[in-house]
Amino acid sequence: MIGESRWVQWASHLILGGASAVILLPLLWVLRTSFADKVVAYQIPPDLFFAPTLDNYREVLLRFDFGSFFLNSLIVAMATTLIALMLGALAAYAIDRFRTGGPVMPLAILATQMMPPIVLVIPFFLIFKQVGLADTHVGLIITYLTFNLPYVVWLMMSFFKRVPRELDEAALIDGAGPFGVFWRIVLPAALPGIGAAGVLSFVLCWNEFLFALMLTGQQTKTLPVAISSLVTQQGTAIGAVCASTMLAIAPMVLVYFAIRKLLVAGLSLGAVKG
Amino acid sequence: MTLVAATAGITPRRHRNLAQYIFVAPTVIVLALVVAAPLIYSIYLSFQEYIITYGMGDFAGLGNYIAVLSDDFANVSWVTLKLTALCVAIEFIVAFGLALLLNQPHLPGRSFYLLVLMIPVLMTPVAVALMFRLMFNPTLGIVNWLIGLAGIPPQGWFGDPNLALGTVVFVDVWHETSLMLLMLYAGLKAMPSEPVEAARIDGASRLQILLYVTWPLMKPVIMVTLLIRMIAALKSYDLIYMLTQGGPGKATETISFYAYRLGFRFLDIGQAAAVSFILLIVVTILTLVLLRTMREA
């Protein structure tokens, strides 16, 4: 018996270690190349021991102005997430507690999430040109609400389900109004869930590509669009591409380290049990 | 006394009735404006002759639909289906296997594995695609150099029509398996532990426990995970745009990318809207079919 379980342990570590290597090695390779100078970056066979340089990061930040694209991504993701959380939490609470809108409502929310972005990008492109919302933060925030708001409502519904109804009833008997119950009793109890929903929604916005590609210009380009345009402009500026890729990933990975437990909890409740 | 209690009970209930609609109203209004209105406009566009450079033309009837269906549609549907089926199947098998391994009771290093295996979830597809474009570059990439060490001749990973779709699937698996793993692992953790314990005490083997205890208990989670991933895969656009632009030829062109090409390269908004609307119908039908089989199972 002991022999068998030891064998299983070894095999598990072999497989999990292998999978981890498949994830880590490409990332480490890009990280390594982001510190390589122009000559080293193009060398095949590759040079593994070279003097690292920050030239690529300098070029990306100073010459290509990635700071402002970074800021665009941050503004749009933060604003969308805040709006989605404020509207979505209220709606999710009503749908969970009062079945507002009947059985159709959760289905309608789910249906909006099925919508392929290409379906909406075409009309948005035309409308935004007409009303002057093309290449503005507000325009991009509007389009991001199309997928973020239903996502947040969906996640929050399952979080509120976990807050016992007795809490609501006790507060009602104590004379609190419906909004008071929501604001002072249920919301604080669901705070970890709101945190998880907020982070997940932020990540979704930060990484979005199609809307940003079609609806932003020089003023409001987000990071993914800026990186993609770097490729077409520069052919194969390997070092700069690697540095900008690292700049796009780094904040998300940092966020992730901070909220790992929330993320697992958020998905186990929201996406799966929803 | 009863009268007082009854009236006292009525007022808050009425408040609640009104309040619930006020709570839901902002979300419903916003979604009507940003999702329903553009969707209806897009359906209208799909029945119009509308080329950006010439402006809005005549009513086209089913003209746009007939044009796109008789043109490339069979090919892009086939590519989209192949891509979706391959990605979802491979990602599910890998993710479920890893989730089972991660969920073993005594596993030193679990948090390290989880930490690493979750990283791709956080990456924008653009970054993932660029990373692999560099590594799979035919002359400057490390992959061709590595296989060269093993004596295999260099390959055109994205340029060879026989390889391109497979390479795209590989990149998608690298990127998207994490999300499935996260959902399945969360589902396994939320599963009650007593049935597995009981089966183990009764002397069931690992395989028996997996087939007769874990699998039936996990079925709802598995179905939802597959559904979510399938819907996302049917819409594939980002990776295609960044990796191959649908090429070589049309070997990796998905329905989403086809709609994009018609609308924003050929500037034919009417036809692009028609393709995108067909995609929406396909996604809806497949979702309904899958939901029905879920309910039966």
mmCIF file of all heavy atoms in Angstrom, chain B residues 215-238:
data_model
loop_
_atom_site.group_PDB
_atom_site.id
_atom_site.type_symbol
_atom_site.label_atom_id
_atom_site.label_comp_id
_atom_site.label_asym_id
_atom_site.label_seq_id
_atom_site.Cartn_x
_atom_site.Cartn_y
_atom_site.Cartn_z
ATOM 1 N N TRP B 215 -16.885 11.449 -10.642
ATOM 2 C CA TRP B 215 -17.443 11.871 -11.932
ATOM 3 C C TRP B 215 -18.929 12.238 -11.821
ATOM 4 O O TRP B 215 -19.322 13.340 -12.237
ATOM 5 C CB TRP B 215 -17.192 10.804 -12.993
ATOM 6 C CG TRP B 215 -17.656 11.196 -14.352
ATOM 7 C CD1 TRP B 215 -18.868 10.914 -14.914
ATOM 8 C CD2 TRP B 215 -16.953 11.988 -15.321
ATOM 9 N NE1 TRP B 215 -18.954 11.460 -16.165
ATOM 10 C CE2 TRP B 215 -17.790 12.127 -16.450
ATOM 11 C CE3 TRP B 215 -15.681 12.581 -15.338
ATOM 12 C CZ2 TRP B 215 -17.398 12.835 -17.582
ATOM 13 C CZ3 TRP B 215 -15.306 13.281 -16.473
ATOM 14 C CH2 TRP B 215 -16.153 13.406 -17.581
ATOM 15 N N PRO B 216 -19.787 11.355 -11.246
ATOM 16 C CA PRO B 216 -21.207 11.739 -11.134
ATOM 17 C C PRO B 216 -21.414 12.996 -10.291
ATOM 18 O O PRO B 216 -22.238 13.848 -10.640
ATOM 19 C CB PRO B 216 -21.857 10.527 -10.446
ATOM 20 C CG PRO B 216 -20.910 9.403 -10.618
ATOM 21 C CD PRO B 216 -19.552 9.984 -10.751
ATOM 22 N N LEU B 217 -20.631 13.121 -9.199
ATOM 23 C CA LEU B 217 -20.797 14.301 -8.338
ATOM 24 C C LEU B 217 -20.352 15.573 -9.056
ATOM 25 O O LEU B 217 -20.893 16.650 -8.826
ATOM 26 C CB LEU B 217 -19.984 14.143 -7.046
ATOM 27 C CG LEU B 217 -20.597 13.256 -5.971
ATOM 28 C CD1 LEU B 217 -19.600 13.028 -4.846
ATOM 29 C CD2 LEU B 217 -21.870 13.882 -5.425
ATOM 30 N N MET B 218 -19.348 15.431 -9.913
ATOM 31 C CA MET B 218 -18.779 16.608 -10.584
ATOM 32 C C MET B 218 -19.532 16.979 -11.861
ATOM 33 O O MET B 218 -19.247 17.999 -12.483
ATOM 34 C CB MET B 218 -17.311 16.344 -10.927
ATOM 35 C CG MET B 218 -16.351 16.542 -9.785
ATOM 36 S SD MET B 218 -16.199 18.291 -9.358
ATOM 37 C CE MET B 218 -15.203 18.874 -10.739
ATOM 38 N N LYS B 219 -20.431 16.134 -12.302
ATOM 39 C CA LYS B 219 -21.037 16.308 -13.617
ATOM 40 C C LYS B 219 -21.613 17.715 -13.853
ATOM 41 O O LYS B 219 -21.352 18.309 -14.899
ATOM 42 C CB LYS B 219 -22.115 15.258 -13.855
ATOM 43 C CG LYS B 219 -22.081 14.727 -15.263
ATOM 44 C CD LYS B 219 -22.905 13.464 -15.388
ATOM 45 C CE LYS B 219 -22.841 12.895 -16.778
ATOM 46 N NZ LYS B 219 -23.616 11.663 -16.884
ATOM 47 N N PRO B 220 -22.381 18.270 -12.904
ATOM 48 C CA PRO B 220 -22.917 19.619 -13.164
ATOM 49 C C PRO B 220 -21.806 20.648 -13.376
ATOM 50 O O PRO B 220 -21.874 21.467 -14.309
ATOM 51 C CB PRO B 220 -23.703 19.945 -11.894
ATOM 52 C CG PRO B 220 -23.934 18.650 -11.208
ATOM 53 C CD PRO B 220 -22.838 17.732 -11.607
ATOM 54 N N VAL B 221 -20.765 20.576 -12.532
ATOM 55 C CA VAL B 221 -19.648 21.521 -12.673
ATOM 56 C C VAL B 221 -18.960 21.333 -14.020
ATOM 57 O O VAL B 221 -18.648 22.297 -14.722
ATOM 58 C CB VAL B 221 -18.638 21.336 -11.517
ATOM 59 C CG1 VAL B 221 -17.422 22.217 -11.724
ATOM 60 C CG2 VAL B 221 -19.293 21.626 -10.194
ATOM 61 N N ILE B 222 -18.755 20.069 -14.400
ATOM 62 C CA ILE B 222 -18.086 19.781 -15.676
ATOM 63 C C ILE B 222 -18.897 20.362 -16.834
ATOM 64 O O ILE B 222 -18.343 20.995 -17.742
ATOM 65 C CB ILE B 222 -17.901 18.263 -15.846
ATOM 66 C CG1 ILE B 222 -16.866 17.755 -14.847
ATOM 67 C CG2 ILE B 222 -17.485 17.919 -17.268
ATOM 68 C CD1 ILE B 222 -16.765 16.249 -14.776
ATOM 69 N N MET B 223 -20.208 20.163 -16.791
ATOM 70 C CA MET B 223 -21.058 20.648 -17.874
ATOM 71 C C MET B 223 -20.992 22.168 -17.996
ATOM 72 O O MET B 223 -20.856 22.701 -19.099
ATOM 73 C CB MET B 223 -22.507 20.211 -17.634
ATOM 74 C CG MET B 223 -22.728 18.744 -17.922
ATOM 75 S SD MET B 223 -22.252 18.327 -19.603
ATOM 76 C CE MET B 223 -23.239 16.899 -19.902
ATOM 77 N N VAL B 224 -21.093 22.862 -16.855
ATOM 78 C CA VAL B 224 -21.044 24.326 -16.896
ATOM 79 C C VAL B 224 -19.683 24.791 -17.424
ATOM 80 O O VAL B 224 -19.599 25.699 -18.260
ATOM 81 C CB VAL B 224 -21.314 24.928 -15.496
ATOM 82 C CG1 VAL B 224 -21.096 26.430 -15.510
ATOM 83 C CG2 VAL B 224 -22.725 24.603 -15.056
ATOM 84 N N THR B 225 -18.615 24.128 -16.974
ATOM 85 C CA THR B 225 -17.276 24.500 -17.424
ATOM 86 C C THR B 225 -17.145 24.334 -18.934
ATOM 87 O O THR B 225 -16.652 25.222 -19.636
ATOM 88 C CB THR B 225 -16.223 23.623 -16.723
ATOM 89 O OG1 THR B 225 -16.467 23.651 -15.323
ATOM 90 C CG2 THR B 225 -14.832 24.126 -16.989
ATOM 91 N N LEU B 226 -17.623 23.199 -19.447
ATOM 92 C CA LEU B 226 -17.553 22.952 -20.886
ATOM 93 C C LEU B 226 -18.373 23.985 -21.655
ATOM 94 O O LEU B 226 -17.948 24.491 -22.690
ATOM 95 C CB LEU B 226 -18.067 21.540 -21.208
ATOM 96 C CG LEU B 226 -17.140 20.387 -20.830
ATOM 97 C CD1 LEU B 226 -17.834 19.051 -21.071
ATOM 98 C CD2 LEU B 226 -15.851 20.459 -21.635
ATOM 99 N N LEU B 227 -19.539 24.302 -21.121
ATOM 100 C CA LEU B 227 -20.419 25.264 -21.793
ATOM 101 C C LEU B 227 -19.749 26.630 -21.901
ATOM 102 O O LEU B 227 -19.685 27.232 -22.976
ATOM 103 C CB LEU B 227 -21.736 25.379 -21.016
ATOM 104 C CG LEU B 227 -22.785 26.302 -21.612
ATOM 105 C CD1 LEU B 227 -23.349 25.688 -22.876
ATOM 106 C CD2 LEU B 227 -23.916 26.561 -20.624
ATOM 107 N N ILE B 228 -19.222 27.111 -20.772
ATOM 108 C CA ILE B 228 -18.587 28.431 -20.756
ATOM 109 C C ILE B 228 -17.422 28.481 -21.733
ATOM 110 O O ILE B 228 -17.275 29.409 -22.522
ATOM 111 C CB ILE B 228 -18.113 28.779 -19.326
ATOM 112 C CG1 ILE B 228 -19.334 29.021 -18.436
ATOM 113 C CG2 ILE B 228 -17.175 29.978 -19.328
ATOM 114 C CD1 ILE B 228 -19.001 29.268 -16.994
ATOM 115 N N ARG B 229 -16.596 27.429 -21.707
ATOM 116 C CA ARG B 229 -15.414 27.401 -22.569
ATOM 117 C C ARG B 229 -15.807 27.312 -24.043
ATOM 118 O O ARG B 229 -15.195 27.909 -24.913
ATOM 119 C CB ARG B 229 -14.553 26.204 -22.150
ATOM 120 C CG ARG B 229 -13.242 26.127 -22.817
ATOM 121 C CD ARG B 229 -12.344 27.293 -22.480
ATOM 122 N NE ARG B 229 -11.365 27.396 -23.552
ATOM 123 C CZ ARG B 229 -11.354 28.343 -24.473
ATOM 124 N NH1 ARG B 229 -12.206 29.334 -24.410
ATOM 125 N NH2 ARG B 229 -10.470 28.338 -25.424
ATOM 126 N N MET B 230 -16.878 26.515 -24.318
ATOM 127 C CA MET B 230 -17.294 26.339 -25.701
ATOM 128 C C MET B 230 -17.804 27.659 -26.294
ATOM 129 O O MET B 230 -17.459 28.019 -27.420
ATOM 130 C CB MET B 230 -18.376 25.271 -25.779
ATOM 131 C CG MET B 230 -18.740 24.889 -27.190
ATOM 132 S SD MET B 230 -20.354 24.109 -27.272
ATOM 133 C CE MET B 230 -21.435 25.501 -27.068
ATOM 134 N N ILE B 231 -18.618 28.367 -25.510
ATOM 135 C CA ILE B 231 -19.136 29.651 -25.992
ATOM 136 C C ILE B 231 -17.973 30.587 -26.318
ATOM 137 O O ILE B 231 -17.943 31.228 -27.363
ATOM 138 C CB ILE B 231 -20.074 30.291 -24.950
ATOM 139 C CG1 ILE B 231 -21.332 29.447 -24.784
ATOM 140 C CG2 ILE B 231 -20.437 31.710 -25.348
ATOM 141 C CD1 ILE B 231 -22.246 29.915 -23.685
ATOM 142 N N ALA B 232 -16.979 30.624 -25.413
ATOM 143 C CA ALA B 232 -15.833 31.515 -25.636
ATOM 144 C C ALA B 232 -15.054 31.086 -26.881
ATOM 145 O O ALA B 232 -14.643 31.923 -27.678
ATOM 146 C CB ALA B 232 -14.937 31.528 -24.408
ATOM 147 N N ALA B 233 -14.869 29.772 -27.057
ATOM 148 C CA ALA B 233 -14.056 29.290 -28.181
ATOM 149 C C ALA B 233 -14.733 29.586 -29.522
ATOM 150 O O ALA B 233 -14.065 29.888 -30.503
ATOM 151 C CB ALA B 233 -13.790 27.788 -28.037
ATOM 152 N N LEU B 234 -16.047 29.503 -29.563
ATOM 153 C CA LEU B 234 -16.768 29.786 -30.809
ATOM 154 C C LEU B 234 -16.552 31.229 -31.263
ATOM 155 O O LEU B 234 -16.662 31.542 -32.440
ATOM 156 C CB LEU B 234 -18.265 29.535 -30.619
ATOM 157 C CG LEU B 234 -18.728 28.080 -30.609
ATOM 158 C CD1 LEU B 234 -20.173 27.991 -30.176
ATOM 159 C CD2 LEU B 234 -18.556 27.461 -31.994
ATOM 160 N N LYS B 235 -16.259 32.109 -30.311
ATOM 161 C CA LYS B 235 -16.090 33.521 -30.650
ATOM 162 C C LYS B 235 -14.642 33.879 -30.971
ATOM 163 O O LYS B 235 -14.331 35.039 -31.195
ATOM 164 C CB LYS B 235 -16.558 34.393 -29.459
ATOM 165 C CG LYS B 235 -17.996 34.124 -29.043
ATOM 166 C CD LYS B 235 -18.491 35.119 -28.024
ATOM 167 C CE LYS B 235 -18.116 34.765 -26.626
ATOM 168 N NZ LYS B 235 -18.901 35.483 -25.601
ATOM 169 N N SER B 236 -13.732 32.891 -31.020
ATOM 170 C CA SER B 236 -12.287 33.158 -31.130
ATOM 171 C C SER B 236 -11.974 34.238 -32.151
ATOM 172 O O SER B 236 -12.319 34.119 -33.311
ATOM 173 C CB SER B 236 -11.523 31.905 -31.575
ATOM 174 O OG SER B 236 -11.765 30.860 -30.718
ATOM 175 N N TYR B 237 -11.283 35.239 -31.691
ATOM 176 C CA TYR B 237 -10.879 36.312 -32.581
ATOM 177 C C TYR B 237 -9.456 36.782 -32.277
ATOM 178 O O TYR B 237 -8.624 36.861 -33.179
ATOM 179 C CB TYR B 237 -11.854 37.483 -32.474
ATOM 180 C CG TYR B 237 -11.383 38.696 -33.218
ATOM 181 C CD1 TYR B 237 -11.623 38.814 -34.574
ATOM 182 C CD2 TYR B 237 -10.654 39.682 -32.572
ATOM 183 C CE1 TYR B 237 -11.152 39.900 -35.271
ATOM 184 C CE2 TYR B 237 -10.183 40.774 -33.266
ATOM 185 C CZ TYR B 237 -10.434 40.884 -34.610
ATOM 186 O OH TYR B 237 -9.967 41.948 -35.301
ATOM 187 N N ASP B 238 -9.206 37.095 -31.005
ATOM 188 C CA ASP B 238 -7.949 37.746 -30.612
ATOM 189 C C ASP B 238 -6.713 36.968 -31.066
ATOM 190 O O ASP B 238 -5.818 37.537 -31.695
ATOM 191 C CB ASP B 238 -7.890 37.929 -29.092
ATOM 192 C CG ASP B 238 -9.025 38.787 -28.572
ATOM 193 O OD1 ASP B 238 -9.866 39.212 -29.389
ATOM 194 O OD2 ASP B 238 -9.063 39.031 -27.365
#
